[in-house]
Amino acid sequence: MKNILYYIFGLFIIASCTPNQDENGDLLKGVDYDTTTNTGSSNGGSTVNKLLKKATVDDDGDVTIYTYLYDTNKRLTSITTDNNSIKINITYQSSGNISKIVRTDNSSGQIETEEIVPTYTNNQITKLNVVHTESSGSIKSVANLTYASNGWPSAVNEDIYSEDNTKVVANFVSNFSYTGNNISKWHFKSSFKVGLPVPVFDFLQEMELTVNLSDYDSKINPYNLLPKDYLISTIHAEADVSSITGFAKNNSKKANVVFVLSGTPFADNQTMSYTYDKDGYPTSVSSTDILTKFEYQ
């Protein structure tokens, strides 16, 4: 679970406000307009199919640009940042299922990689085999998945093994709740299963996180445009931008986060606002300190 503190704040960049009609019936409250945009279709189902091309995140002046690349079959093949802090490569089987995801993180000046290999049962990911590598060495983890009736995960239970692969040293558990096509709650908990010492890896920390998302609009969620299997495979790896927000068809305008580290709780509430293009795709979203702009192809 890399960069979880960034995720807690970064989560808020990708939820939107539900527009309400103004008193004169002409405009929508909570939506900013320019001369080339409108609110798009009322049900979020645009007749124009687009792919997410770029997400530019301005975190109080600290700007990072995420670029998404696709093959000729419109399959996501890589995600990179302009500062080379993150690089993700996705390869596919001949069936179209994901073969492997390799995520390289250089944001701290130390190269860390995660190699994620999904196991499919009836074309649904039921297991993730992961190798985590840092300068101190490599360890593996295995995640087992169960699903809700809407086809998205209800739980992900990931065991992290010792460097000699003889015992489980830590465990990540995520539980998910949904309202229709949108995620309403994510509860994450990490814990150690053995006494100290444990392998020295940045993501091995005991923590608990609860994220509640509500007040969904009827518009298109840009991160839900990414491949479903990619979003599921990286739930415990890609906490920087997409993560669980891609589990929703639409955009939440309210987020409540409770984070517990070393027994100390931290809580925050955020409200976001969006602008849309004429096809109902968000072009920007803002919260207190973060502005994100989206580009499509």
Side-chain angles (χ1 to χ4, degrees):
M1 175 61 71
K2 291 184 173 18
N3 300 319
I4 190 67
L5 289 175
Y6 180 88
Y7 171 75
I8 291 173
F9 300 102
L11 164 73
F12 305 132
I13 67 177
I14 44 185
S16 75
C17 67
T18 303
N20 299 306
Q21 192 172 31
D22 199 356
E23 286 80 359
N24 61 13
D26 295 331
L27 299 176
L28 298 179
K29 292 180 179 178
V31 177
D32 297 326
Y33 290 87
D34 60 33
T35 57
T36 61
T37 65
N38 61 36
T39 59
S41 59
S42 61
N43 61 5
S46 173
T47 58
V48 179
N49 294 319
K50 300 181 182 182
L51 297 173
L52 181 60
K53 181 180 179 180
K54 285 185 180 181
T56 300
V57 182
D58 185 346
D59 184 359
D60 200 20
D62 184 8
V63 178
T64 303
I65 302 174
Y66 293 81
T67 300
Y68 303 82
L69 297 179
Y70 304 84
D71 63 16
T72 55
N73 294 318
K74 297 183 178 180
R75 297 180 302 189
L76 180 69
T77 57
S78 71
I79 303 172
T80 58
T81 58
D82 61 318
N83 58 8
N84 296 315
S85 60
I86 301 293
K87 184 174 183 180
I88 302 170
N89 290 314
I90 305 104
T91 54
Y92 295 86
Q93 303 172 4
S94 58
S95 63
N97 290 335
I98 290 177
S99 173
K100 183 169 62 176
I101 299 171
V102 178
R103 184 183 190 276
T104 303
D105 187 333
N106 191 33
S107 58
S108 65
Q110 172 182 290
I111 296 177
E112 305 167 358
T113 64
E114 287 178 281
E115 182 178 288
I116 304 167
V117 178
T119 296
Y120 287 82
T121 302
N122 298 323
N123 289 320
Q124 187 177 65
I125 295 173
T126 53
K127 182 181 291 187
L128 299 168
N129 294 285
V130 187
V131 176
H132 312 261
T133 301
E134 296 184 3
S135 59
S136 58
S138 296
I139 57 175
K140 76 170 187 178
S141 65
V142 178
N144 291 288
L145 290 77
T146 55
Y147 285 82
S149 59
N150 64 0
W152 287 91
S154 59
V156 177
N157 192 326
E158 182 172 2
D159 287 331
I160 296 90
Y161 288 83
S162 59
E163 291 175 289
D164 59 5
N165 294 326
T166 60
K167 57 182 177 292
V168 174
V169 297
N171 175 252
F172 298 159
V173 177
S174 283
N175 290 287
F176 309 93
S177 300
Y178 301 89
T179 301
N181 291 319
N182 295 313
I183 185 170
S184 57
K185 182 178 181 179
W186 174 33
H187 179 259
F188 169 84
K189 186 175 183 179
S190 64
S191 57
F192 292 134
K193 295 301 179 182
V194 297
L196 296 175
V198 298
V200 181
F201 281 77
D202 288 348
F203 64 93
L204 290 176
Q205 300 180 59
E206 289 200 331
M207 65 182 73
E208 189 169 0
L209 172 69
T210 302
V211 179
N212 296 292
L213 300 170
S214 60
D215 273 0
Y216 277 90
D217 66 10
S218 59
K219 307 303 178 183
I220 298 164
N221 176 358
Y223 291 111
N224 188 250
L225 299 174
L226 299 176
K228 180 178 181 180
D229 285 357
Y230 166 77
L231 294 168
I232 292 173
S233 296
T234 57
I235 179 57
H236 285 166
E238 180 56 10
D240 290 351
V241 180
S242 53
S243 194
I244 58 101
T245 50
F247 283 28
K249 179 180 179 181
N250 308 117
N251 308 283
S252 167
K253 74 172 182 178
K254 291 183 179 179
N256 164 258
V257 174
V258 179
F259 178 61
V260 181
L261 182 63
S262 300
T264 303
F266 304 88
D268 195 15
N269 295 288
Q270 291 280 334
T271 301
M272 287 64 62
S273 60
Y274 256 88
T275 62
Y276 304 88
D277 67 14
K278 62 183 178 61
D279 300 310
Y281 289 77
T283 57
S284 70
V285 56
S286 62
S287 61
T288 304
D289 297 312
I290 302 175
L291 171 67
T292 299
K293 295 181 179 180
F294 300 103
E295 298 178 34
Y296 304 92
Q297 63 185 50

